[in-house]
Amino acid sequence: MKNQFPNVPTSLPSKSEIPSGFSLMVHKFSYPSDRLNERVVIRGEPVKKLLTLDLNIPESEFAKKVNIAPPGDAKSAFVRSYPCPHRCPGCFNNAELHNPVLTLEEIWKIVDQAQELGLESVKFLGPGELLANPEVFTILDEFERRGIVIGIFSKGAILGNDDLSRHYHGIDSDEFVRRLALYSNTTFLIGGRSFDSRFENRFVPRNGRQIKKGFDYHLSRNLAIERLCRAGMNADLFRQRLALLCNPVTAENLNCIEEIYRWGTERNIPVYLPPTMVSGKGHSLVKGASAGKFEDDYIDLAVRVYSWAIERGVMTLERFEQEGPHPYIGVAPCNQLTHGLYIHYDGAVWRCPGNDTPDFIVNENVRNAPLIDIWKGSKNYPINEFNNGCVKDGISLPLRFYEEVRKRVTHRLVP
């Protein structure tokens, strides 16, 4: 596999010039250790803050089509109308509906309740791509008005392809990026399982009527990254607004991942390297992620990444020993379980989008109880850890990962 990267200059300072406190952490994707156990007083009671939510924000027409479908046809309507130009094999979203799809009006009610609990950021997780939603600017306006940072997961194609951008928004892709960059509260989490064009072009948009024959996804995604960098999304060492998600790392792309991590880091772009989620289509990839050889290779990758990160100066050995290895290798740890919840597109509340098995369901329907009660009654509420582990632990992320990576990195770097 041969990576062909976007044309983005390096920007990370030399090791001696990297400022104290630097961390590879997308702005408000996770929260630093000094934010642990912050409280807000509600009706005289101190309540731990709900700092972040992962959200499904269904497109209005999509929600309407699914919700008016005859009994027994909702799942088919979901699949037929799913608003995404891609067919990603590890997508955590599926068509399992237990309640009506949330409307945009209901989403704002949830967000407003969360703001009373201290909400500062959300991550958009579907259905489909927010950037394919014709209401995207209205949605971003509402989050900006509320002062909430929104992380936008995207494959990036709409940001780099005029046909797609015109189809969804009536403007070319350069203008689309320009308008998005005017918001100060956006971060972009761009998918990049590899930068090999033959590999990446498997993710061909399904909307063949609007996409010319021979559409080059890899080229469009690379152009999107170049434009986001020109707009300054990777310019601030302490407020990074662009990340790459090599999601998921599998045996197919593992051999090109370390190069991607180094490429992104040198450009002040955090790179996330998780194995498959244990939700949606990701279940079909769990067997491969649990195979002995892949586990060994993934641990080897983590050891190399952490060793390079420490030697490069983006992380100290002392910090690594204190925090331990992270589920997101080489960047700030995930603390979703400490600070947040996930609201599914049908209103079900999960601990995290990474695991949809019954023991990770917090509440069957967010409509049926105040969010404060759901939050306080969740298994997430009592957790107060900067590195809170992962819902994939023991499934697609081996339990031996943490101790083995710690020992090997320390042995490699300590004289």
Side-chain angles (χ1 to χ4, degrees):
M1 192 173 291
K2 183 176 176 57
N3 287 318
Q4 298 169 301
F5 290 110
N7 183 19
V8 178
T10 59
S11 56
L12 189 73
S14 65
K15 181 175 182 178
S16 62
E17 294 178 335
I18 293 176
S20 176
F22 172 81
S23 180
L24 290 166
M25 176 190 289
V26 174
H27 184 52
K28 294 189 185 294
F29 184 98
S30 54
Y31 287 84
S33 58
D34 61 7
R35 301 294 306 274
L36 291 173
N37 207 30
E38 287 187 353
R39 302 273 163 163
V40 60
V41 177
I42 298 179
R43 296 186 292 275
E45 177 190 2
V47 178
K48 191 181 86 165
K49 286 184 177 180
L50 178 69
L51 290 173
T52 189
L53 279 178
D54 285 4
L55 281 178
N56 276 158
I57 307 176
E59 180 186 321
S60 294
E61 284 302 308
F62 170 75
K64 182 178 179 180
K65 288 176 183 176
V66 176
N67 289 343
I68 66 173
D73 191 46
K75 185 171 183 176
S76 295
F78 184 100
V79 173
R80 287 195 307 270
S81 308
Y82 195 69
C84 188
H86 305 289
R87 287 192 181 103
C88 301
C91 181
F92 70 94
N93 264 328
N94 56 33
E96 294 301 321
L97 292 163
H98 301 282
N99 313 300
V101 172
L102 288 167
T103 65
L104 194 54
E105 182 180 3
E106 288 177 312
I107 291 292
W108 296 129
K109 290 178 180 178
I110 294 166
V111 170
D112 290 342
Q113 288 185 68
Q115 272 208 282
E116 294 179 2
L117 295 168
L119 183 74
E120 295 183 9
S121 65
V122 301
K123 296 190 288 293
F124 170 84
L125 294 174
E129 287 219 9
L130 181 63
L131 300 182
N133 190 327
E135 301 168 283
V136 60
F137 293 115
T138 300
I139 291 169
L140 294 180
D141 287 342
E142 286 297 315
F143 280 117
E144 186 174 55
R145 184 175 67 80
R146 289 168 168 82
I148 296 172
V149 171
I150 175 167
I152 302 171
F153 286 85
S154 173
K155 290 298 178 185
I158 302 172
L159 302 174
N161 181 268
D162 288 342
D163 290 335
L164 276 172
S165 183
R166 290 188 186 114
H167 169 66
Y168 290 113
H169 305 292
I171 56 178
D172 66 37
S173 54
D174 191 45
E175 173 67 8
F176 187 38
V177 174
R178 189 193 69 78
R179 289 185 61 182
L180 291 170
L182 293 175
Y183 292 89
S184 62
N185 64 321
T186 52
T187 63
F188 295 87
L189 311 154
I190 304 298
R193 291 193 65 208
S194 85
F195 283 81
D196 181 287
S197 59
R198 289 176 297 178
F199 182 85
E200 285 292 82
N201 280 334
R202 294 181 187 181
F203 301 114
V204 177
R206 69 177 66 163
N207 201 335
R209 289 174 298 176
Q210 280 76 35
I211 305 304
K212 295 177 181 178
K213 187 176 181 180
F215 172 76
D216 191 330
Y217 165 69
H218 174 267
L219 180 65
S220 298
R221 192 271 318 278
N222 279 11
L223 180 58
I225 292 170
E226 292 171 8
R227 287 172 171 170
L228 289 168
C229 289
R230 285 198 297 270
M233 297 300 158
N234 67 327
D236 191 334
L237 292 175
F238 291 98
R239 195 172 182 269
Q240 297 133 335
R241 297 175 59 194
L242 174 64
L244 299 177
L245 276 74
C246 301
N247 183 22
V249 177
T250 67
E252 281 186 300
N253 64 338
L254 190 142
N255 68 347
C256 72
I257 294 297
E258 184 180 357
E259 185 183 20
I260 298 173
Y261 176 84
R262 294 189 184 197
W263 184 89
T265 299
E266 292 290 359
R267 289 153 181 82
N268 193 35
I269 303 172
V271 181
Y272 291 79
L273 312 175
T276 184
M277 290 185 171
V278 192
S279 54
K281 294 180 183 178
H283 283 287
S284 65
L285 304 177
V286 169
K287 184 177 179 181
S290 304
K293 184 179 187 310
F294 177 78
E295 287 189 355
D296 290 342
D297 290 345
Y298 188 73
I299 289 171
D300 287 344
L301 170 68
V303 172
R304 295 195 305 272
V305 165
Y306 276 115
S307 298
W308 181 84
I310 293 167
E311 291 169 342
R312 179 63 180 85
V314 297
M315 181 181 297
T316 66
L317 180 59
E318 179 183 19
R319 176 182 153 198
F320 171 78
E321 291 176 328
Q322 179 183 6
E323 296 174 6
H326 310 153
Y328 290 133
I329 300 169
V331 298
C334 175
N335 40 47
Q336 163 74 17
L337 298 180
T338 291
H339 296 300
L341 294 169
Y342 168 50
I343 312 296
H344 198 42
Y345 48 72
D346 70 348
V349 184
W350 303 1
R351 297 184 67 192
C352 169
N355 193 323
D356 64 3
T357 54
D359 48 328
F360 282 89
I361 304 298
V362 174
N363 189 283
E364 295 295 337
N365 193 339
V366 71
R367 303 171 177 94
N368 295 339
L371 189 61
I372 184 174
D373 294 342
I374 295 173
W375 172 230
K376 289 173 61 181
S378 72
K379 292 181 180 178
N380 288 9
Y381 187 78
I383 300 174
N384 283 293
E385 299 178 20
F386 179 50
N387 180 5
N388 59 209
C390 186
V391 295
K392 302 186 288 291
D393 287 347
I395 308 173
S396 61
L397 189 67
L399 289 175
R400 63 190 175 99
F401 170 85
Y402 298 98
E403 188 57 31
E404 191 164 335
V405 173
R406 180 195 292 270
K407 285 182 178 179
R408 289 177 56 186
V409 171
T410 302
H411 177 75
R412 187 169 178 169
L413 296 181
V414 175

